[in-house]
Amino acid sequence: MITGAHTIVHATDAEAARAFFRDVLGLPYVDANNGWLIFESPPAELAVHPAGPAENGRTELYLMCDDLDATMAELGAKGVEFTSGVTEARWGLITHLQVPGAGEIGLYEPRHPTAYDLT
């Protein structure tokens, strides 16, 4: 039986990325071994999107929020760099942000039923 999911963010500067998730996003964590932090993820869902051969197998990480404007203001006040403007799609409002040492992740306000509140 599946009991959870483990997301991996590869980072050229793992310490900077860990500090971002710990200090800026404030995610709870455990120290698995000498500074190897494993963070508690917010409630999650998994979607499968159709793709052509060039995108087959590609995965993306999007954090979700209830109010994108408020969340962007809060994160911006903490120095978070947003790498795109807000895009409106039929499923929600979307932007992207820079994780120091680890590239971009998405942030969005869903406008669809969410799967993480099924249980």
Side-chain angles (χ1 to χ4, degrees):
M1 176 115 221
I2 303 297
T3 60
H6 185 90
T7 303
I8 298 172
V9 174
H10 294 271
T12 56
D13 187 344
E15 290 306 315
R18 289 175 184 142
F20 176 81
F21 287 106
R22 181 190 63 221
D23 302 335
V24 176
L25 298 185
L27 297 179
Y29 62 91
V30 295
D31 188 329
N33 186 16
N34 296 322
W36 195 279
L37 306 183
I38 298 178
F39 296 91
E40 178 182 353
S41 294
E45 57 187 22
L46 182 135
V48 178
H49 290 221
E55 292 185 314
N56 190 40
R58 184 173 62 104
T59 58
E60 299 176 64
L61 175 61
Y62 280 82
L63 300 177
M64 300 165 72
C65 63
D66 293 331
D67 182 332
L68 187 62
D69 288 336
T71 302
M72 289 178 70
E74 178 185 340
L75 293 176
K78 294 180 177 182
V80 171
E81 175 190 349
F82 291 92
T83 57
S84 71
V86 175
T87 303
E88 186 169 353
R90 71 180 188 281
W91 59 86
L93 299 173
I94 304 164
T95 190
H96 295 84
L97 58 92
Q98 183 69 38
V99 176
E104 289 183 350
I105 61 174
L107 174 66
Y108 89 108
E109 176 185 331
R111 292 191 173 160
H112 59 79
T114 56
Y116 60 75
D117 55 6
L118 291 175
T119 57

